[in-house]
Amino acid sequence: MSALTPQSILEGRSSNRAPVPLIIGLVVSGICLLLALGFYVVLGGTAVVLAGTVLALPTAVLLVGLILLVDRLEPEPRLHLLLALGWGGGVAIIGALIVNSVSGELLVSVLGSGPAEFATAAVIAPVVEESFKGALLLFLLWWRRTEIDGPTDGIVYASLCGLGFALVENILYYMRGIEGPAGQFWLMIVVRGVVAPLGHPLYTSLTGLGVAYAATHRGPGRFFAVVGGWLGAVLLHALWNGSTVFGLGGLIIAYAVEAVVLVVMIVILVRDRRRLVGLIRRYLPAYVPSGLVQPADVQMLGTMPGRRHARHWARVNAGGVGARAMGDYQLAATELALLHARAQTATIDPRAFHARRDAILGLMRAARDAFFRRLPQAPPPPWARQQQSGFFAPPGQIQVARLPQVPHRR
């Protein structure tokens, strides 16, 4: 059996191959995305679909970049992020198109055209769309629960899923705008691309918060957190869709509520980053006796500028190998702190904890050894003025036997 790659260790996999459920999810999402785009082509033609795609992409690319910036301190696996984006733009879109269309036709026969259109937009669509998007988060909770370490992870996965949905949905809206009056087209561009581009990511983020709570806590509250997050997503979505019937005043109220929710999300993200930094400063000093970590390393790991400066310093002194080694060391140390947090909340089995801890420590040692193979006589790093950094400690100073014992709650 071949040695695990750093990425496999960081993701907690037992092999270097992509997991089968992940491959199946990506394939299904891709097929659904192609089906959705094929349906659009049937509706409006290839040229109109391409035009709608060109109009929808800039906003989506910008927002994906912002979400990835949020995810820098403890980045999620790239294929998982791709699955979230693809699920929203494929599975959720196809599911919503089918269920919303069928439900709309049934309501027309019962309520008539006008009331049925409003009921579909304000009631049916929010429930259906947030359920299909939320299904991806439930899948991650069941299959890769250990990848969700806190509110930031829940928000990141949910936002990408919602963004994938919004991207493909916006193509359809822009197609309709292109074929309609010029004034309606520009209004569509402003509303969908400028005024409210965060709608779907914001709605689904509420579900993401509930799922994140369920992934990091024990007890019956987990179920209510997931259901409560989903209900919040549905209600916020319904508020926006239903506000259109009340004209400009309704839109202003809905926009104000969404703005408040957005501010709350930003506060949660900031607090969660501080929590993660606190975990690093709380748990990593216990590994100082082992020689793998020193107080200077803890300070370096606690800030994004410090991490970036350390990678730059490693690249200058040891090239790409040194930069990759430093990156692996930083991510492994962060995962180690999060692993201890799970142990303290008893959301990981003790045997699984020790197995994963050994793998992470092995990666930290391997990263250090890779650096020294590239640069045998490493100069002291600038962030360790009075002490030797654990990463750059001379060979032979690492005491692997002295590891902290972590009690588990029962």
Side-chain angles (χ1 to χ4, degrees):
M1 181 177 177
S2 60
L4 292 179
T5 64
Q7 191 62 36
S8 298
I9 294 173
L10 291 171
E11 294 177 17
R13 302 203 308 258
S14 58
S15 75
N16 293 323
R17 294 176 296 181
V20 173
L22 176 61
I23 296 174
I24 294 175
L26 288 170
V27 171
V28 171
S29 297
I31 292 173
C32 289
L33 175 58
L34 291 176
L35 289 175
L37 294 178
F39 176 70
Y40 289 178
V41 170
V42 172
L43 285 180
T46 303
V48 179
V49 172
L50 289 175
T53 303
V54 170
L55 290 170
L57 274 176
T59 301
V61 171
L62 175 63
L63 293 180
V64 166
L66 290 176
I67 293 170
L68 294 181
L69 282 176
V70 169
D71 194 40
R72 287 185 303 161
L73 192 57
E74 191 263 321
E76 299 306 299
R78 294 178 182 177
L79 286 180
H80 290 62
L81 299 178
L82 182 60
L83 173 62
L85 189 66
W87 183 282
V91 176
I93 277 287
I94 284 294
L97 281 173
I98 295 173
V99 178
N100 287 345
S101 299
V102 172
S103 300
E105 291 299 323
L106 292 175
L107 288 176
V108 167
S109 63
V110 176
L111 302 177
S113 179
E117 183 178 349
F118 175 77
T120 300
V123 180
I124 302 298
V127 172
V128 171
E129 293 172 11
E130 296 310 319
S131 296
F132 275 106
K133 288 184 289 180
L136 180 276
L137 299 169
L138 290 178
F139 172 70
L140 290 175
L141 179 62
W142 166 73
W143 173 60
R144 295 294 292 172
R145 175 180 174 180
T146 55
E147 282 296 340
I148 304 176
D149 296 301
T152 297
D153 293 347
I155 291 174
V156 165
Y157 282 122
S159 295
L160 282 176
C161 187
L163 186 56
F165 188 97
L167 169 62
V168 180
E169 184 185 55
N170 282 348
I171 295 174
L172 180 59
Y173 276 97
Y174 290 150
M175 287 171 57
R176 294 172 178 171
I178 291 171
E179 296 173 341
Q184 181 180 348
F185 169 69
W186 289 111
L187 178 63
M188 189 76 67
I189 293 290
V190 171
V191 172
R192 305 292 301 190
V194 180
V195 175
L198 291 174
H200 280 288
L202 193 61
Y203 311 146
T204 314
S205 289
L206 294 175
T207 305
L209 287 177
V211 168
Y213 181 92
T216 55
H217 291 77
R218 301 181 67 189
R222 294 180 297 172
F223 171 79
F224 295 105
V226 173
V227 173
W230 174 80
L231 283 174
V234 170
L235 291 175
L236 190 62
H237 195 159
L239 175 65
W240 177 261
N241 285 7
S243 66
T244 55
V245 76
F246 300 106
L248 181 60
L251 285 173
I252 291 175
I253 293 174
Y255 194 82
V257 172
E258 289 194 6
V260 171
V261 174
L262 177 60
V263 170
V264 172
M265 288 291 178
I266 293 173
V267 171
I268 290 174
L269 289 171
V270 171
R271 290 176 61 89
D272 194 45
R273 171 161 291 194
R274 292 176 179 173
R275 177 190 70 92
L276 182 52
V277 171
L279 292 177
I280 292 172
R281 293 174 177 171
R282 177 180 178 183
Y283 292 115
L284 291 191
Y287 289 87
V288 169
S290 74
L292 275 176
V293 179
Q294 291 297 324
D297 298 318
V298 177
Q299 295 300 318
M300 175 268 291
L301 291 165
T303 66
M304 294 308 301
R307 288 171 173 244
R308 185 171 57 251
H309 181 64
R311 291 193 300 272
H312 174 73
W313 186 88
R315 182 179 296 277
V316 169
N317 285 275
V321 172
R324 287 192 296 274
M326 175 59 76
D328 290 342
Y329 179 85
Q330 291 175 343
L331 293 177
T334 305
E335 289 292 338
L336 183 60
L338 289 169
L339 183 66
H340 276 269
R342 284 193 172 276
Q344 290 297 322
T345 57
T347 54
I348 184 172
D349 180 81
R351 286 179 295 181
F353 166 82
H354 286 98
R356 177 138 175 78
R357 182 180 70 170
D358 291 344
I360 292 173
L361 292 175
L363 176 57
M364 294 172 69
R365 295 187 203 103
R368 173 185 170 278
D369 293 344
F371 183 89
F372 273 106
R373 282 195 298 270
R374 179 66 177 81
L375 190 66
Q377 299 298 324
W383 61 89
R385 299 181 183 275
Q386 303 298 328
Q387 54 188 302
Q388 182 65 59
S389 167
F391 182 84
F392 297 104
Q397 288 191 3
I398 302 299
Q399 305 295 325
V400 298
R402 298 180 63 185
L403 297 178
Q405 298 299 314
V406 180
H408 286 260
R409 295 180 182 176
R410 296 187 181 275

